Amino acid sequence: MKDKAKGKAKVCAIRWMLALALCGCGEQGTLVGDPDKMLSVDRKELPEESEHGQEESAGGVETNGNASDTVADQLIFNELMYGNVGNPLGLGTLVYTIPQSSEEDYKLYFFAAKNEDERYLSLSERNLELTEATYIFPDAREGNIPIGKFQEFYYFETGDISSDGADDLLLIACYEVGDEVYYDTRVYVEKEGGYVLDNTLTQKLNEKYYNVEEYPVSEVVELPHD
């Protein structure tokens, strides 16, 4: 049974790689100007939280105490960072949605800072409304189809990942595929006031690291020394 499950996982991985090669990657995200063009999901009153959100620092993602949940659609938000999200977006909060089914992937949203005091507030205290998102990042694959069941973020970093002289976003997430856990990497690069997926670099990293036992982040980005 285990061999069959592994075989199934490998087939899923092959399908994922083909989907990645054929997806609509490279599409730019949405700079939101008209709230009517946003998702028709209203954020309800958020639960009280005692933890502050992650500030402008690189490294592993910690989201305990930073989740927000809509009552209507059970749409869960977690904070990736509060800080300067590159030249196109500036200062604000970067969040992602936790998928509620195995057929959907996470999505990234950016909310521009309204005042300096937001730095010291938790995610719920910032009173973010989905309809007020400043920018929606493009999906990694057409239809926002995941490679498996989303588990958690393994690593998040801002920096010049693509060596083009501009800050990029590196996201590494873990997914369950059969009885295996695979990594899915995204690299977003600046373009025309927003971000696009670097399809070439993203595919290269996924082909090389999707099924490693431990993701060698130091091979992708220079880590800060202790």
Side-chain angles (χ1 to χ4, degrees):
M1 291 296 290
K2 186 174 183 181
D3 291 337
K4 290 182 179 180
K6 288 185 176 180
K8 181 179 179 182
K10 290 180 180 178
V11 170
C12 291
I14 292 173
R15 290 178 178 173
W16 158 56
M17 296 308 302
L18 290 174
L20 181 61
L22 297 175
C23 73
C25 298
E27 296 182 357
Q28 189 169 347
T30 304
L31 183 62
V32 180
D34 184 357
D36 293 334
K37 296 179 181 179
M38 289 293 296
L39 301 177
S40 57
V41 180
D42 294 327
R43 298 260 325 259
K44 304 300 181 181
E45 184 177 351
L46 303 176
E48 292 294 329
E49 298 170 353
S50 59
E51 298 289 337
H52 287 294
Q54 180 177 344
E55 295 193 357
E56 188 178 358
S57 59
V61 179
E62 296 183 4
T63 57
N64 292 336
N66 290 333
S68 303
D69 187 3
T70 61
V71 175
D73 287 51
Q74 297 298 305
L75 185 58
I76 302 174
F77 292 87
N78 268 348
E79 181 175 352
L80 277 172
M81 68 172 287
Y82 175 87
N84 195 327
V85 187
N87 291 326
L89 302 182
L91 185 66
T93 304
L94 184 65
V95 302
Y96 67 95
T97 58
I98 298 179
Q100 296 303 292
S101 78
S102 59
E103 298 179 354
E104 64 182 35
D105 212 339
Y106 69 87
K107 291 184 70 71
L108 288 177
Y109 295 88
F110 173 77
F111 295 83
K114 298 177 181 179
N115 55 67
E116 286 292 332
D117 293 337
E118 287 186 0
R119 177 180 297 274
Y120 308 104
L121 301 178
S122 67
L123 184 60
S124 63
E125 290 172 331
R126 290 175 202 156
N127 296 318
L128 302 180
E129 296 286 342
L130 185 59
T131 54
E132 296 178 356
T134 308
Y135 189 79
I136 305 173
F137 281 75
D139 299 331
R141 286 164 289 273
E142 186 175 358
N144 200 32
I145 299 174
I147 67 169
K149 184 178 180 181
F150 177 87
Q151 297 295 303
E152 62 181 353
F153 266 102
Y154 179 79
Y155 190 82
F156 166 73
E157 174 72 282
T158 61
D160 189 7
I161 313 300
S162 59
S163 301
D164 61 355
D167 281 344
D168 310 315
L169 301 182
L170 170 67
L171 301 104
I172 305 171
C174 298
Y175 293 78
E176 180 182 337
V177 183
D179 63 346
E180 302 285 349
V181 174
Y182 290 150
Y183 297 100
D184 183 54
T185 304
R186 300 187 193 183
V187 178
Y188 287 105
V189 296
E190 295 183 11
K191 184 176 181 181
E192 299 176 358
Y195 282 91
V196 296
L197 193 75
D198 186 325
N199 189 33
T200 301
L201 182 55
T202 293
Q203 184 169 344
K204 177 181 177 181
L205 294 175
N206 278 324
E207 289 175 347
K208 188 174 182 180
Y209 299 123
Y210 81 95
N211 65 341
V212 294
E213 184 173 344
E214 184 174 351
Y215 201 110
V217 177
S218 59
E219 294 182 10
V220 181
V221 60
E222 183 177 354
L223 300 177
H225 299 289
D226 295 332

